[in-house]
Amino acid sequence: MTDFSSIYSQILDAVATVEPRVAEATRQELRDQRRSLKLIASENYASLPTLLTMGTWLSDKYAEGTVGHRFYAACQNVDTVEAVASEHAKALFGAEHAYVQPHSGIDANLVAYWAILNYRIESPTLARLGAATVNDLTEADWEALRHEFNAQRVMGMSLDAGGHLTHGFRHNISGKMFTQLSYGTNPSTGLIDYDALRTAAREYRPLIIVAGYSAYPRRVNFAKMREIADEVGATLFVDMAHFAGLVAGKVFTGEENPVGYGHVIASTTHKSLRGPRGGFVLATEEYAKSVDKGCPMVLGGPLGHVMAAKAVAFAEARQESFQVYAAQVASNAKALADGLLRRGVSLVTGGTDNHLILIDVSGFGLTGRQAESALLDSGVVTNRNSIPRDPKGAWYTSGIRIGTPALTTRGFKEAEFDEVADLIAYVLKNTAPCSTPTGPSKAKYELDWRIAEQVQARADELLEANPLYPGLDLG
Ligand code: DSN
């Protein structure tokens, strides 16, 4: 059996000879993660082989280009690693093409956007002008092409409905490079209203429709999204960063599986998919060549060590045990939601059918920021998040987003998540905003320290019964 304790102790001892503060912060991070109920919906715990794969000399190699077509010499080993990662990604998702170079989710989305612009705008323009590459364009043609890029329209889910910054939000480059119209959710059901989306798309005629979310607790019907995209001549781009693990683990099948419906699909590797921090893009054959232009279009040189870790994580996700894990993530989310509802906690859409839950904390008189801090004091790590049409805005918010991927990796099942629901409800019911001369504070709050300690003690019991990296002992 691999002795991870000895491996990591030696690694950290070596680091400490150069910079002890970094070695100590790394040790402390493990202690902290072991001692908290990690409910951040976008986080997980990668396997130790995946983590170890990132710490090698593959990091030292430049390899701009694609497999077998590099702008640097001596890339044979990075070629192997990238080819293996792509092969696993294609097999795992049943995709026609996989590009595993993106360094993060935002990078993956940028690759996707520029691939779509390249395929839909640049290539036809070059063909029309009889040019082989943009280098053959006159200055005037090139100027006109730049205007064409900037004139394109995108429709994505609005941030407060659960969409992501990269889906056209004005403080992200996607909101600056495209004209955009966001779609929301139905005010009474909280669900995506496909009929309203179809009507808006017919009128708006976007080049791209973005499907996907980071804070929507429900599944998406990608067949319907594709039908709408086809009707208006749009490319369907799916951002599956949050739920890639549920796709890989075959929890989302049929019309809920974006593969086969999205022309281009981008994702991170480190959320429900449980890999290293990074991104990747899947595409149909027609978009493949454009996607492969990601580096140097918007990406720096590929990270060989991270692509290697992606290959390991994809290989892990192809094992049957990953399907058991993914099913448990969804079942645990349902148990957590039911437990919260039973204890009088209000949930956006009234529940969940994916891996995440959005709690509306306004009924407790709290902002999301106060709830996030009070829970953190008690050893429960969450993040504040806007709810649809949130009157408190994106800084204070009225919501808390929680998810089950990380604690499911530790072995939590439905019964443990019911206990977690109890802890969350207990903290929220016992937290109150501080008063100020102008009314209740949006940031300051009161929570009896004895309650916080009591919750941490109950959390400790759950955490000790489900250890993180069992057998890894760093002294
Ligand atoms: N930060 C990620 C999340 O928490 O959803 C997405 O950017």
Side-chain angles (χ1 to χ4, degrees), residues 53 84 94 289 297 309 343 351 388-389 405 410 415:
T53 309
V84 171
K289 257 169 62 188
M297 174 58 90
R343 291 168 177 89
R389 296 161 283 281
R410 283 184 79 140

Side-chain angles (χ1 to χ4, degrees), residues 42 164 214 242 271 401:
S42 49
H164 189 251
S214 59
H242 257 265
K271 297 187 173 88
R401 186 188 67 165

Side-chain angles (χ1 to χ4, degrees), residues 46-47 49-56 58 81 85 269 274-277 303-316:
S47 72
T50 297
L51 294 181
L52 278 175
T53 309
M54 280 186 281
T56 76
L58 281 167
V81 158
T269 34
R274 206 165 62 179
R277 189 158 290 274
L303 310 177
H305 57 310
V306 182
M307 292 194 297
K310 288 174 190 172
V312 172
F314 290 144
E316 288 173 343

Side-chain angles (χ1 to χ4, degrees), residues 40-43 105-106 163-166 213-215 239 241-242 268 270-271 277 355-356 383 385 401:
I40 294 190
S42 49
E43 293 186 7
I106 286 191
H164 189 251
L165 288 169
T166 51
Y213 52 80
S214 59
D239 177 353
H242 257 265
T268 52
H270 50 273
K271 297 187 173 88
R277 189 158 290 274
H355 64 297
L356 72 86
N383 69 280
N385 208 102
R401 186 188 67 165

Side-chain angles (χ1 to χ4, degrees), residues 426-437:
Y426 187 51
V427 171
L428 295 179
K429 285 175 186 169
N430 284 286
T431 305
C434 290
S435 309
T436 74

